[in-house]
Amino acid sequence: PPGPAVAFVLRLGQALHRHGTPAHRLEGLMQRVSERLGLEARFFSTPTSIFASFGPPEDLRTSLIRVEPGDFDLERLILLDILADDVIQGRLTPTEGATRVEAILARPPRYGPALQLLCWMLAGASAALLFGGGWKEMGVAAVSSLAIGGLDLLTRKQPTTARVLEPVAAVLSAAFAGIAAHFFGPLHGEVATLAGLIVLLPGLTLTIAVNEVATRNLISGTSRLTHAALVFLQLGFGAALGSRVATVLPPVPTPPLPTVMPPGTAVVALVVAGFAIAVLFRARPRDWGWIALAGAAAFMGARLGALLLGPQLGAFAGALLLGMGSNALARLRNRPAVTTVVPGLMLLVPGSVGFRSLASLLERDVVAGVDTAFSMLMVAVALAAGLLSANAIMPSRKVL
């Protein structure tokens, strides 16, 4: 096969994988580019590798690429999608396209550490409000999330320390909640702890895993499921360890129910959460409004559906509304639907349910823990079914 075309396809696939593209979308885009470039190719993606074979079956040239899973970078995904279109349409040669891929990967981060830390705080505070907390829970969650965000920035380039981020973050969040309850009066510790960990909860990974299994990418999907389960266990262990801080302090009164917030604060929290998620996922500023609108529509649709149909069907309704709206917007703007789908899913994913399941199991409430875990899995299945249904009803012109 032609060397420059193969080199471009491989570099494009590696870059897309590094920034969070699911297996079914990655393989689909690489297959589409290969066909347009006249290549006979086959691809197989897992969360840590890409296998690519070029040529007829009797004379294959196979490449193995090891990839370290990275964070979502929506701006780079959009630029890579535009680059793939330019090569397919002949505006760039494959050699120029391969060089452009490296230039996109070498771009400096759009948002600096200060803005990222601010968005960690805003994400924690808005999550506490959406989970039913009051001002105290919002303050504790904001401080916890700020500390965890700083720890994430410090350990991002150190693989040995980055691997223990989740349990250490859970220890910090639970410890802050216990200390705040002692010094600032009773508060709902579970809400404060959960909201402080909102960015690290693997609910999005769980939903992507179920989606991959549903699209017959079994190895990639089961691998992500295992990873999500491990992260849940690490967070649960860390939270249990951090909650022991409260036992060495003098006892405090039993926490009351969270303070009822004024009407309309949930809408403000949704807007703030949409902005924070857009920055943390490195979306372009021109997409912030669309992301906030998609997230708010999905969240409100899921809440309304849960009131009418139950939590599982409510999640299905929210994902269906999000997917159809994102695909319609992608057709109008000629941009990938992932720009609004991924941030919108962050407000629907069942990460908080999984965390509560682990908390119940650690407290030896096995029945409640298993019941909550089953609910989490059903919500993830409902989200995947909603997205698949949206793609069938309102297909997007883009693979991503």
Side-chain angles (χ1 to χ4, degrees):
V6 170
F8 170 70
V9 173
L10 292 178
R11 284 179 171 80
L12 177 67
Q14 184 177 9
L16 290 170
H17 192 296
R18 184 184 302 177
H19 294 299
T21 307
H24 57 287
R25 294 188 180 274
L26 175 65
E27 294 175 6
L29 183 59
M30 293 179 71
Q31 189 69 44
R32 178 171 175 267
V33 173
S34 299
E35 291 174 355
R36 295 298 183 90
L37 294 179
L39 299 176
E40 183 179 357
R42 301 159 188 85
F43 303 100
F44 178 70
S45 173
T46 74
T48 57
S49 61
I50 301 174
F51 294 87
S53 295
F54 299 92
E58 66 275 6
D59 187 22
L60 288 177
R61 171 185 172 183
T62 303
S63 299
L64 166 63
I65 304 174
R66 290 285 295 173
V67 183
E68 185 72 21
D71 298 328
F72 272 100
D73 193 317
L74 296 179
E75 181 177 21
R76 285 177 176 165
L77 288 178
I78 292 174
L79 293 176
L80 291 170
D81 182 77
I82 295 173
L83 175 61
D85 283 346
D86 289 339
V87 175
I88 288 174
Q89 301 296 334
R91 291 187 287 268
L92 292 174
T93 65
T95 302
E96 295 171 335
T99 304
R100 190 73 62 85
V101 170
E102 301 301 327
I104 292 174
L105 295 179
R107 289 168 58 97
R110 175 179 286 273
Y111 307 114
L115 182 57
Q116 292 185 48
L117 290 176
L118 174 63
C119 289
W120 276 84
M121 288 183 60
L122 294 177
S126 57
L129 181 58
L130 294 175
F131 289 155
W135 296 112
K136 292 181 182 179
E137 288 81 7
M138 290 176 61
V140 174
V143 173
S144 301
S145 193
L146 174 63
I148 295 169
L151 188 63
D152 175 62
L153 293 178
L154 290 175
T155 61
R156 185 165 294 177
K157 295 184 179 180
Q158 302 174 10
T160 55
T161 54
R163 294 190 180 100
V164 297
L165 174 64
E166 286 84 3
V168 173
V171 170
L172 289 176
S173 186
F176 284 162
I179 294 173
H182 176 75
F183 287 103
F184 301 104
L187 56 85
H188 201 303
E190 182 183 357
V191 170
T193 302
L194 182 59
L197 295 171
I198 188 63
V199 179
L200 297 182
L201 290 176
L204 182 60
T205 302
L206 177 65
T207 305
I208 292 175
V210 174
N211 206 352
E212 288 180 338
V213 172
T215 54
R216 305 297 189 272
N217 290 272
L218 302 180
I219 293 180
S220 180
T222 52
S223 300
R224 290 188 195 273
L225 280 174
T226 305
H227 174 66
L230 179 60
V231 173
F232 274 126
L233 290 173
Q234 289 177 323
L235 292 174
F237 170 77
L241 187 61
S243 64
R244 305 303 297 174
V245 172
T247 61
V248 302
L249 298 172
V252 296
T254 303
L257 293 175
T259 305
V260 177
M261 299 297 290
T265 53
V267 177
V268 177
L270 283 174
V271 174
V272 172
F275 164 73
I277 291 172
V279 172
L280 293 177
F281 280 166
R282 300 170 181 84
R284 301 178 301 176
R286 71 185 71 173
D287 296 324
W288 287 358
W290 294 114
I291 290 172
L293 180 62
F299 184 84
M300 300 304 293
R303 284 293 178 91
L304 181 60
L307 291 175
L308 299 177
L309 306 171
Q312 286 79 26
L313 291 178
F316 172 82
L320 180 65
L321 182 63
L322 173 65
M324 291 181 61
S326 297
N327 288 345
L329 183 63
R331 294 172 71 92
L332 291 175
R333 302 177 65 209
N334 195 30
R335 290 292 181 266
V338 70
T339 305
T340 51
V341 167
V342 172
L345 276 179
M346 280 295 294
L347 298 174
L348 300 177
V349 292
S352 59
V353 183
F355 185 85
R356 291 190 175 103
S357 171
L358 278 176
S360 299
L361 291 174
L362 290 171
E363 293 173 359
R364 291 181 172 79
D365 191 353
V366 179
V367 175
V370 173
D371 180 69
T372 310
F374 182 75
S375 299
M376 173 192 69
L377 185 59
M378 290 304 298
V379 170
V381 172
L383 291 176
L387 292 177
L388 293 175
S389 301
N391 291 332
I393 297 172
M394 177 67 71
S396 174
R397 293 193 181 97
K398 294 286 186 177
V399 178
L400 289 182

